[in-house]
Amino acid sequence: MTTTSERLTETLKRQVSQRVSQSVFDGSRLRVVLLVDVYDGAQQQFLEAYEQLCNQVASVPGHVSDQLCQSIENPSQWLITSEWESAPPFLTWVNSEEHVDMVKPLHNCVRDTRSLRFHIVRETGGPAVAAETGERRLQTSPRIGDGLIRHALTFTVKPGSEEKVARILADYAAPDPKVDDTTRLCRTSLFMHGNRVVRAVEVRGDLLAALRHVARQPEVRAVEEAINPYLEQDRDLDDPDSARVFFTRAALPAVHHVTAGEESPDAVRHALYYPAREGCGLRLAELLARQDEAAADDPRGPVLRSTIFQRDDIVVRLVDVRGGIDSDPGPVLGLADRARAAELTALLDGGALGADGSPQEGAPARLLTVARMDLVTDRRAPDA
């Protein structure tokens, strides 16, 4: 049986595409930086909470080390850094219920936090390649992005309320896209798949500042209150702990972004939901990422941009497509490579392709029926 580490090693041996501006699948070591502002008088409580958290994190797969640092200028400011073998194990942990429970002791002693995640590109005093395995452990080269941060939230609503929720989410005034002099909300795309809602945002500047800005807007707050009765997970936005837990569980991080480097005035945004088998979400996202990298190098391909969002077994792919999606859905779905169709089939819950693992006639159309999400709203800032 092929292990996750072996599969990632296979990925490392591939030439990294210059069209990929973001990916967690290259095996690079990860540095996580957590900036913490501790309440006055709560430092001992914070240290005790950190020690407890540190002992628990030490046993998490993929965790390498961590450090706790205190500011020499402001004793209330602390810095927690941790190193991970790669991004996937960290994302698996940080988005888990286990993590939600682990960090609860910090809530009563911390005024504010900010988490930053970085692949390690260069370092001194150590080899770039592990001699015992031959794996590349540093990111080979800097990625070239477009200045946008992509993030998504997902949650479910009570069955039977889908149409009412869709109307609420579609019918509100857009918030002011300007957050401050350096941060702007560029685009918000909202889709539904059954009773699951996915809201994807593109931000230029500070993502956390943008999310807080949006949450404070009266029109957005009214919409959030209006859908509260229909949510499967209860929340109280006036209770900081309740809101924090809800949005932690709703986070759907972007794990891969690729662009063909072209623009088209008739490009249309679609969202595709891939029903992964239990425990196969990460592998499915990685396979789709590989397909997107290959598709981006095809100048005749329909996909101009693709962003893959993944958390546990929730895999969503946001694609900007030129031309229609129905006439030839294979390339848009990531099924252009027939040799990998069997692997994709094995990772899907429900088998939209042939049961024997081979693509059958009409399989892309059937998968499109399963995966296509319904557009609720897609809004762009005027100067985005």
Side-chain angles (χ1 to χ4, degrees):
M1 182 177 69
T2 304
T3 65
T4 300
S5 61
E6 289 170 340
R7 288 193 294 263
L8 288 174
T9 300
E10 173 191 345
T11 306
L12 303 181
K13 295 176 181 178
R14 296 182 293 107
Q15 179 68 32
V16 177
S17 171
Q18 293 301 308
R19 301 187 186 278
V20 178
S21 63
Q22 177 184 358
S23 183
V24 304
F25 298 119
D26 63 1
S28 305
R29 294 209 314 273
L30 184 74
R31 175 72 65 183
V32 180
V33 178
L34 183 65
L35 303 173
V36 181
D37 188 8
V38 177
Y39 286 120
D40 297 339
Q43 297 205 10
Q44 185 58 40
Q45 181 184 357
F46 166 71
L47 289 173
E48 293 172 358
Y50 169 77
E51 288 298 330
Q52 179 181 346
L53 178 63
C54 185
N55 292 333
Q56 293 172 319
V57 174
S59 62
V60 175
H63 176 265
V64 176
S65 63
D66 53 68
Q67 289 181 321
L68 176 65
C69 311
Q70 186 177 24
S71 169
I72 62 174
E73 299 169 334
N74 182 355
S76 295
Q77 293 180 346
W78 293 75
L79 176 69
I80 300 173
T81 67
S82 61
E83 186 173 319
W84 296 75
E85 292 176 358
S86 61
F90 167 76
L91 292 174
T92 298
W93 171 70
V94 80
N95 292 319
S96 68
E97 291 296 316
E98 179 186 16
H99 173 261
V100 172
D101 292 335
M102 279 188 189
V103 299
K104 280 181 179 177
L106 289 174
H107 294 166
N108 293 330
C109 51
V110 170
R111 180 182 295 108
D112 193 20
T113 63
R114 184 182 182 189
S115 179
L116 305 171
R117 297 93 184 258
F118 301 87
H119 273 152
I120 301 176
V121 179
R122 299 285 187 272
E123 70 177 358
T124 58
V129 176
E132 66 276 10
T133 63
E135 294 182 9
R136 188 185 78 248
R137 301 190 63 201
L138 303 185
Q139 185 173 302
T140 55
S141 61
R143 297 192 183 277
I144 301 173
D146 55 8
L148 294 179
I149 303 171
R150 296 169 173 87
H151 186 67
L153 297 172
T154 185
F155 52 88
T156 55
V157 298
K158 296 173 182 176
S161 68
E162 294 90 347
E163 290 187 9
K164 184 173 291 187
V165 169
R167 286 196 300 270
I168 294 172
L169 292 173
D171 187 22
Y172 71 95
D176 183 358
K178 182 178 180 180
V179 179
D180 53 39
D181 291 340
T182 60
T183 300
R184 293 187 65 82
L185 183 65
C186 298
R187 190 168 185 174
T188 300
S189 306
L190 200 147
F191 293 83
M192 292 185 68
H193 186 278
N195 70 329
R196 177 169 296 281
V197 177
V198 173
R199 177 190 289 145
V201 297
E202 295 178 356
V203 172
R204 188 176 301 277
D206 187 331
L207 174 64
L208 184 58
L211 295 178
R212 288 175 173 172
H213 165 78
V214 170
R216 289 193 297 265
Q217 303 305 301
E219 57 272 25
V220 174
R221 183 61 181 255
V223 168
E224 297 291 345
E225 294 290 349
I227 67 171
N228 270 347
Y230 307 110
L231 298 177
E232 286 199 312
Q233 178 191 343
D234 292 334
R235 69 178 182 185
D236 180 359
L237 295 178
D238 292 323
D239 179 354
D241 286 339
S242 176
R244 183 186 299 111
V245 169
F246 178 87
F247 287 111
T248 298
R249 289 172 173 160
L252 187 63
V255 296
H256 193 85
H257 179 75
V258 62
T259 176
E262 300 179 28
E263 296 294 336
S264 175
D266 62 345
V268 178
R269 173 158 291 187
H270 298 273
L272 300 165
Y273 177 81
Y274 294 81
R277 293 186 186 275
E278 184 177 358
C280 294
L282 180 64
R283 178 59 180 153
L284 177 58
E286 183 188 2
L287 176 60
L288 291 169
R290 275 192 269 155
Q291 300 282 59
D292 278 343
E293 289 181 29
D297 291 327
D298 180 4
R300 298 168 299 176
V303 178
L304 298 176
R305 279 172 297 279
S306 173
T307 306
I308 298 171
F309 301 89
Q310 182 261 331
R311 176 197 179 117
D312 300 328
D313 294 325
I314 301 171
V315 181
V316 173
R317 196 159 149 265
L318 206 64
V319 290
D320 292 344
V321 179
R322 58 183 161 196
I325 190 175
D326 294 282
S327 59
D328 186 15
V332 178
L333 287 165
L335 297 179
D337 185 348
R338 293 173 64 88
R340 288 196 174 125
E343 187 176 4
L344 179 64
T345 304
L347 299 174
L348 290 173
D349 184 12
L353 301 182
D356 62 352
S358 62
Q360 297 179 357
E361 190 68 27
R366 291 198 298 276
L367 180 56
L368 179 60
T369 301
V370 173
R372 192 203 298 259
M373 302 187 72
D374 297 321
L375 174 65
V376 177
T377 181
D378 184 23
R379 298 178 173 181
R380 303 182 67 172
D383 58 347

